Amino acid sequence: RPIGELLAQEYDRFSIVHVTVTFIIWGVGSVCYFIESREGPRHSIFFRTMVMCGIDIVSIGIMASVFPKFFLGPRVDVDPRIIAWVWNMVHEAQPLIPLNPLDVSTFFMFWGISLLALPHLVWLLYREKEIEKKALWIYVALGLLVFIPLGCLQIRFSTYAAILLCLPYADFLGRVVFRLGQKFSSTLRMVFQGGAVFAGCVGFIMVGVLFDSWVDAKDSSSTIQEECPVTPLAQFLNDPKDWGSRSRIILTNLNFGPQLLYQTDHQVVGTAFHRNVQGIIDTQRVMGSEKNEEALEIVLKRGIDLILICPSSAEINFYSLPTGKAMFYENMVNDKMPP
């Protein structure tokens, strides 16, 4: 980052905002260590709770006064149109709990262990008598109360809950392996214990993979990358006797942009990157335009040399947002462009 931008407040990438959060976390840890390292009687749970509440209030107050938009999330400064056109189509931004009952493969791969870990955690909270161990499971449960709802809303948050779920799940597997060791002789014990560990580690992931393969086998639709592979297109565009004779400006599907930039010397108007605001907007305005004149005005202003489309895919559904029409795109497909 240039020296002149060291104090720039950006919420969607690393900036002074995140440096401040890091120092606050370091400060909180230092204060807690100082309090606990002092000689004297051990502090009560009530005292620790009050100290943490006070520290949290001060920390939140600092962030709210210095960076008030921090609590609105990393997308606070992103153009709302980009959220509707791009972000809502990103896989990691979709809910982990699907609306379609057949689309449960992602749940099994990320949170399949919860089917065993959560009941076991409840059992641990009820049966554990040692204070320190019980405090551990309470901490895990509180963390899950925070991250499970977030993970249900967006897949990208599910990893935090998955890490916490690993703790009671590991305890569950450990108890299963121990019981198997008590029931079987040495040879069978190794087989069953090894099988239990293997099944416990990859079982739910394999269920998700197999379920996903089964759904794909029943679904005859294909992705735009399958309908219109970019690599052969890039080879064609690199031909020095044709389009590769000089660098061109290309308008095409946002998902094609990064690969064309990587595999060719050409430029692209839009990419599926939320900071490329004007490129995304211009791509949408051209393809989704209801009048050829409006689209051609942007094409000339941008100096676009080539427009690439994939009619056999469902990309028109994107270009028709939000009006439901994409006349310029349809005119290109139907070869009704003006001379």
Side-chain angles (χ1 to χ4, degrees):
R1 182 184 292 273
I3 296 178
E5 297 181 8
L6 289 178
L7 299 180
Q9 297 182 22
E10 296 178 314
Y11 298 89
D12 60 337
R13 65 177 180 177
F14 189 75
S15 70
I16 188 63
V17 178
H18 307 91
V19 172
T20 303
V21 172
T22 302
F23 273 100
I24 288 177
I25 295 173
W26 173 80
V28 170
S30 299
V31 170
C32 292
Y33 176 79
F34 174 76
I35 293 174
E36 288 297 310
S37 62
R38 296 179 63 186
E39 295 183 0
R42 187 172 183 177
H43 298 297
S44 65
I45 294 178
F46 176 78
F47 175 81
R48 293 178 177 179
T49 303
M50 290 298 100
V51 169
M52 286 306 303
C53 288
I55 292 175
D56 290 342
I57 291 173
V58 172
S59 301
I60 293 173
I62 292 173
M63 290 301 299
S65 60
V66 180
F67 308 114
K69 292 193 292 185
F70 173 79
F71 298 98
L72 298 178
R75 295 178 294 162
V76 60
D77 291 329
V78 179
D79 191 301
R81 293 170 294 181
I82 306 303
I83 299 297
W85 293 339
V86 178
W87 186 258
N88 290 341
M89 298 183 183
V90 176
H91 180 260
E92 68 172 20
Q94 306 309 308
L96 183 64
I97 307 298
L99 298 178
N100 182 359
L102 293 178
D103 190 20
V104 296
S105 56
T106 303
F107 171 81
F108 275 104
M109 286 187 277
F110 279 85
W111 280 2
I113 62 174
S114 66
L115 299 177
L116 296 175
L118 288 178
H120 186 66
L121 177 60
V122 173
W123 181 82
L124 287 170
L125 291 171
Y126 175 73
R127 294 294 299 270
E128 188 60 66
K129 302 303 180 183
E130 294 185 33
I131 298 299
E132 292 184 353
K133 290 184 178 180
K134 196 177 189 72
L136 166 65
W137 299 125
I138 291 174
Y139 175 80
V140 171
L142 292 175
L144 290 173
L145 287 176
V146 174
F147 290 116
I148 284 181
L150 291 175
C152 290
L153 291 175
Q154 290 191 7
I155 292 174
R156 65 196 186 114
F157 291 117
S158 61
T159 304
Y160 301 105
I163 293 173
L164 292 174
L165 287 169
C166 285
L167 298 177
Y169 188 63
D171 185 86
F172 171 80
L173 282 182
R175 293 173 186 268
V176 170
V177 170
F178 179 76
R179 289 291 181 87
L180 290 173
Q182 291 181 319
K183 285 191 174 185
F184 298 100
S185 61
S186 58
T187 303
L188 288 176
R189 181 170 64 241
M190 294 177 60
V191 173
F192 280 103
Q193 286 181 327
V197 172
F198 179 79
C201 290
V202 302
F204 287 109
I205 296 176
M206 290 303 301
V207 169
V209 171
L210 293 174
F211 202 94
D212 190 50
S213 301
W214 176 72
V215 172
D216 286 345
K218 296 186 65 176
D219 186 5
S220 59
S221 63
S222 57
T223 64
I224 189 170
Q225 286 80 8
E226 294 171 335
E227 290 285 351
C228 301
V230 180
T231 299
L233 173 62
Q235 294 173 349
F236 171 76
L237 293 175
N238 283 329
D239 185 354
K241 297 180 180 179
D242 200 346
W243 290 99
S245 60
R246 63 179 177 85
S247 177
R248 315 277 181 167
I249 298 177
I250 301 174
L251 187 144
T252 186
N253 189 288
L254 299 179
N255 294 308
F256 291 171
Q259 191 169 349
L260 288 176
L261 288 175
Y262 178 74
Q263 294 186 336
T264 72
D265 292 328
H266 301 300
Q267 305 172 58
V268 296
V269 174
T271 58
F273 178 49
H274 66 274
R275 283 179 168 263
N276 185 14
V277 176
Q278 197 56 51
I280 295 173
I281 292 175
D282 284 349
T283 301
Q284 177 70 20
R285 288 176 62 194
V286 170
M287 297 295 201
S289 177
E290 297 185 24
K291 297 181 180 180
N292 289 339
E293 295 76 12
E294 295 178 356
L296 292 174
E297 181 182 350
I298 300 174
V299 169
L300 295 174
K301 182 180 178 180
R302 279 273 192 169
I304 295 171
D305 300 297
L306 179 64
I307 299 178
L308 301 174
I309 60 175
C310 183
S312 59
S313 71
E315 66 176 354
I316 191 173
N317 295 330
F318 170 73
Y319 296 135
S320 60
L321 295 174
T323 63
K325 299 179 180 179
M327 297 305 299
F328 186 80
Y329 184 92
E330 293 178 4
N331 288 340
M332 285 191 293
V333 173
N334 298 322
D335 197 21
K336 294 182 179 181
M337 296 300 296

